[in-house]
Amino acid sequence: MTAELVRGQNHPLSQARLEIRISAGTPIVAAAALSDENGRIHGVEWVAHPGAPTQPGLEVSRQAAAAHRLAVDLDAVPEAVHRVGVLLALPTGGTGPVRFGAVAAPFTAVTGLDGGEIANFTLTGLDTESAVVALELYRRQGAWKVRAVGQGYAGGLAELLTDQGLPQARQLAADIDEAVARGLARSVQAPPPRTADGDRSRQTAAPALGPDQGGTAPQPGPVPPRSPYDGPLPGGAGEPQHPYAGSAPDPGPVTQPSAPPAGGPVDYSHPRRQNAAPPPPPPTAPPTAPGQPARPVAGDATGWSMDERLYNQVWGMFEDLARTTAAYRSAVDFAESRMDKELEQVLSDPRNRIGGQGDAAREAARARHAQLVDQAREALDRDLAQLKAEADVVEPALPAPYARWDSPVWHAYRVPMELPMALRLGDLHLPEADGIRIPMLVRLPLERGLWIDSGRISSAGGSLTDAHAVGRLAMETAVAHAARLLAVYPTGEFTVHVIDPAGSGAQALAPLVQTGVLAGPPALGAAGVADVLGRLTQRVDLVQMAVRGGAADALPPGFDTAQQLLIVNDFPHGFDDRAVNQLRYLADEGPAFGVHLMMVADREESSAYGPLLDPLWRSLLRLTPVADDHLADPWVGHAWTYEPSLVPPGSQVLQQVLSQVAAARAKHW
């Protein structure tokens, strides 16, 4: 039975390996601190936080998120540790809330590895606090207990850590803020939270394992990134959330399908469809055999339209691949740590260092390691096969905004009448699943600008050292993205401006210039830079005043209400200090008022500005013109390899699409 704690109440813990689950209505930072019997933190190495997510017996998220799962192994903490504090804080330096009183009360729960809840605590009554000690696991007479604390600090993490006796409290708090900002800058933004009707829930089953290894039983929701050998999950009690940075909502009253037998594959039929007859398979697919899971179907997610269903399905595939890969990596790490511990025990006895007994023990440890890794790989391969089958069905069904440039759907392109939910910017994949490409979809209108990095980038084929080649490829990537944006917006609702001070991007810009889809010729020189930036800055000011003043209908006659995209090439060439400040202003304020940036730049070329431009680069989503593993998912923070969406060599699809856009614009005006 779950103990529902109030402030100051404690509860005994019967297990050493635990998960601390945290959920909040807004992204928060989760950390864990080790302390002695007096509650004093001895040093920064006793704090697990996004910049240093693993410490002895602790593992926390690498980024801020609305839901977390912290892994705790009380047997692995140092002997000097008597307390483990769970710390929560609101991210600083952003546009989010600055006090816990302005957000929903955070909920914390201590669970075993079987998913069973041991105790929970809701942090009510917070007001001006921006950091809080939520829970405390403490050692008393050789046994561990959990206490609900709820002690808040208006001074944030710096005040909290200072109160716990850490000499480097302010520096560590600054380091945590910096790590969180870096994580947010490189993270692909998750879609808005969905209700239970919008959940894409799945059930999985891991192979049956012996009592020594444990094993996962079937459970609803995406595969959680925990080791399949951490212990059995009885009756599907797990939640579809990641232990570290998941943002999936509680599935609520959704009826889960019956569990498949142990060792069965992922059931891809949506749980909302289990109460009625299942959807028929595609005409080209053979019937599903009795007892087998439903075959993947394009659009097998909930939504008001096929566009929304496919969007939710792609994000479900993205999340599932992140979680099943995390489960595999966690299992491998567990197998390696177990082997290291067993070998250490063997070598600690001098009698076992030589002779047949020691050799046999070492061989047995390596054999158990190989067995665990093989079982983890088998589970991963099973999930990857199902995801690959789904990707093969979904990719051909994607509409133009979600499709690759080489998709046949572009040959039937027509200018749309309404804006789609999202836009494809490229593909994402992981090294464990190189054959599965997940479309990288971002919501429209864009919520942050784009930065196409034209600096030297290490690609899969080696380092690209030719600056001119990289710059040309970066500009071609920007043109492909701009053309896709023009193609998916209804006529007259999207306008593109270009700043190319030195004219170095003229060749790549030719498709946009020749078809006449730009608002005007690319701006050249310092005068052109000042003119375009001045007009767009004034536009943001006018819309901002009108919206905030509640007089949106008071804009000047003939005012262009379309979304605006500014492509900036070769930054900072042609930019003076005033232009740089205007650019920063557009990056910060523009997206909320219809002005978006697409920078094609090498950050090193603007290094003379020092930290002045750091907020600019962080506000933009960094993309590369070649494959590069710099993006992170919003659930577990894997480093995903990004591949840009480029037009195939020799293809005329870009010219054909832009010509249709230009013709529609001519009729519109």
Side-chain angles (χ1 to χ4, degrees):
M1 183 175 179
T2 302
E4 297 184 359
L5 306 180
V6 297
R7 272 187 178 83
Q9 189 177 1
N10 60 50
H11 187 75
L13 297 173
S14 59
Q15 304 177 44
R17 300 187 68 188
L18 304 165
E19 285 183 349
I20 311 296
R21 301 183 182 183
I22 302 163
S23 60
T26 188
I28 59 174
V29 181
L34 306 175
S35 55
D36 59 21
E37 63 273 16
N38 298 315
R40 181 175 176 273
I41 302 174
H42 285 199
V44 295
E45 68 278 3
W46 277 31
V47 182
H49 57 84
T54 57
Q55 298 296 350
L58 300 175
E59 185 169 2
V60 302
S61 169
R62 291 168 172 79
Q63 57 197 42
H68 297 266
R69 289 192 185 181
L70 282 58
V72 179
D73 185 352
L74 296 174
D75 287 341
V77 300
E79 287 294 328
V81 171
H82 287 257
R83 303 184 188 180
V84 179
V86 178
L87 319 179
L88 309 180
L90 294 170
T92 62
T95 59
V98 296
R99 61 187 186 91
F100 275 109
V103 303
F107 174 82
T108 60
V110 180
T111 72
L113 294 182
D114 60 359
E117 197 170 286
I118 300 170
N120 63 48
F121 173 46
T122 302
L123 284 81
T124 57
L126 298 176
D127 187 8
T128 61
E129 298 88 345
S130 59
V132 61
V133 180
L135 297 172
E136 182 179 75
L137 313 182
Y138 64 98
R139 196 196 318 247
R140 181 67 55 84
Q141 297 178 348
W144 286 91
K145 296 183 177 182
V146 57
R147 177 189 291 122
V149 181
Q151 175 64 52
Y153 297 83
L157 280 174
E159 182 182 352
L160 186 157
L161 295 170
T162 299
D163 189 50
Q164 298 204 1
L166 180 65
Q168 311 93 331
R170 295 196 176 278
Q171 181 59 50
L172 179 58
D175 292 344
I176 294 174
D177 291 341
E178 176 71 17
V180 171
R182 287 198 306 267
L184 291 174
R186 65 187 291 264
S187 176
V188 179
Q189 188 168 1
R194 300 192 295 268
T195 63
D197 285 346
D199 284 343
R200 162 198 170 90
S201 298
R202 299 177 173 185
Q203 60 186 43
T204 62
L209 303 173
D212 185 48
Q213 292 87 20
T216 54
Q219 61 183 53
V223 181
R226 58 189 296 277
S227 169
Y229 318 109
D230 284 344
L233 292 176
E239 293 183 40
Q241 296 179 350
H242 184 262
Y244 307 125
S247 57
D250 189 295
V254 175
T255 302
Q256 299 295 345
S258 59
V266 179
D267 184 351
Y268 279 81
S269 57
H270 196 277
R272 276 291 184 184
R273 301 177 182 174
Q274 298 303 301
N275 297 329
T284 56
T288 302
Q292 295 296 318
R295 293 182 179 276
V297 177
D300 188 20
T302 54
W304 291 104
S305 64
M306 179 57 77
D307 182 28
E308 184 178 2
R309 292 198 294 270
L310 286 169
Y311 172 81
N312 289 337
Q313 187 171 16
V314 167
W315 268 92
M317 293 163 57
F318 186 16
E319 183 176 358
D320 288 348
L321 182 54
R323 295 183 189 282
T324 194
T325 303
Y328 169 72
R329 293 179 181 180
S330 176
V332 171
D333 289 343
F334 170 75
E336 291 178 351
S337 64
R338 173 175 172 168
M339 182 180 68
D340 291 342
K341 187 175 182 179
E342 291 178 350
L343 292 176
E344 182 180 353
Q345 291 175 347
V346 171
L347 296 176
S348 63
D349 188 346
R351 294 171 298 179
N352 293 334
R353 294 177 185 173
I354 57 176
Q357 185 176 357
D359 292 340
R362 283 188 285 269
E363 288 299 320
R366 295 188 181 100
R368 282 190 290 269
H369 169 269
Q371 179 188 14
L372 292 178
V373 172
D374 289 345
Q375 289 172 333
R377 187 71 217 191
E378 180 183 353
L380 175 67
D381 288 343
R382 184 183 64 246
D383 287 344
L384 293 185
Q386 293 287 354
L387 282 168
K388 180 65 166 62
E390 184 173 21
D392 290 344
V393 170
V394 169
E395 183 66 47
L398 295 177
Y402 303 172
R404 298 190 183 102
W405 281 112
D406 59 0
S407 171
V409 72
W410 285 107
H411 297 297
Y413 168 77
R414 294 295 182 269
V415 177
M417 299 296 292
E418 59 183 25
L419 184 67
M421 286 188 63
L423 181 83
R424 186 176 190 154
L425 292 179
D427 294 338
L428 298 168
H429 66 90
L430 291 171
E432 289 88 349
D434 191 58
I436 300 177
R437 296 296 191 270
I438 303 295
M440 179 181 168
L441 303 182
V442 296
R443 289 294 291 262
L444 293 176
L446 295 173
E447 297 180 4
R448 61 191 295 197
L450 305 177
W451 165 29
I452 315 301
D453 192 350
S454 60
R456 294 184 179 182
I457 303 166
S458 296
S459 66
S463 179
L464 292 179
T465 57
D466 186 347
H468 293 291
V470 177
R472 183 180 66 254
L473 189 57
M475 199 61 200
E476 291 174 357
T477 302
V479 169
H481 291 327
R484 186 181 286 265
L485 282 163
L486 283 164
V488 303
Y489 268 84
T491 303
E493 295 188 13
F494 197 77
T495 304
V496 179
H497 310 262
V498 176
I499 290 178
D500 187 20
S504 59
Q507 182 178 353
L509 288 167
L512 299 177
V513 174
Q514 293 172 1
T515 54
V517 294
L518 296 178
L524 302 174
V529 171
D531 177 60
V532 173
L533 289 177
R535 286 189 284 112
L536 291 178
T537 300
Q538 183 183 39
R539 183 188 188 283
V540 171
D541 288 340
L542 286 173
V543 176
Q544 192 177 60
M545 287 188 293
V547 171
R548 292 178 177 175
D553 57 346
L555 292 169
F559 185 85
D560 183 8
T561 58
Q563 297 281 311
Q564 311 286 313
L565 175 68
L566 173 59
I567 302 175
V568 179
N569 184 37
D570 213 13
F571 177 81
H573 183 80
F575 281 72
D576 56 19
D577 290 345
R578 185 170 187 271
V580 169
N581 287 331
Q582 288 177 317
L583 192 68
R584 287 188 56 189
Y585 175 73
L586 292 178
D588 292 338
E589 302 291 337
F593 301 100
V595 177
H596 312 278
L597 281 183
M598 185 184 293
M599 300 279 292
V600 183
D602 179 359
R603 185 172 181 174
E604 292 299 320
E605 293 183 358
S606 61
S607 58
Y609 288 94
L612 176 68
L613 291 181
D614 285 352
L616 170 66
W617 302 117
R618 286 180 181 170
S619 69
L620 305 174
L621 176 61
R622 177 176 174 257
L623 304 175
T624 53
V626 297
D628 185 63
D629 58 349
H630 67 283
L631 289 176
D633 64 80
W635 301 286
V636 296
H638 289 318
W640 291 73
T641 297
Y642 165 78
E643 294 179 354
S645 180
L646 299 176
V647 179
S651 173
Q652 296 299 312
V653 64
L654 191 68
Q655 193 78 19
Q656 295 169 3
V657 169
L658 290 177
S659 296
Q660 289 200 42
V661 172
R665 286 165 61 97
K667 293 179 181 179
H668 178 75
W669 298 114

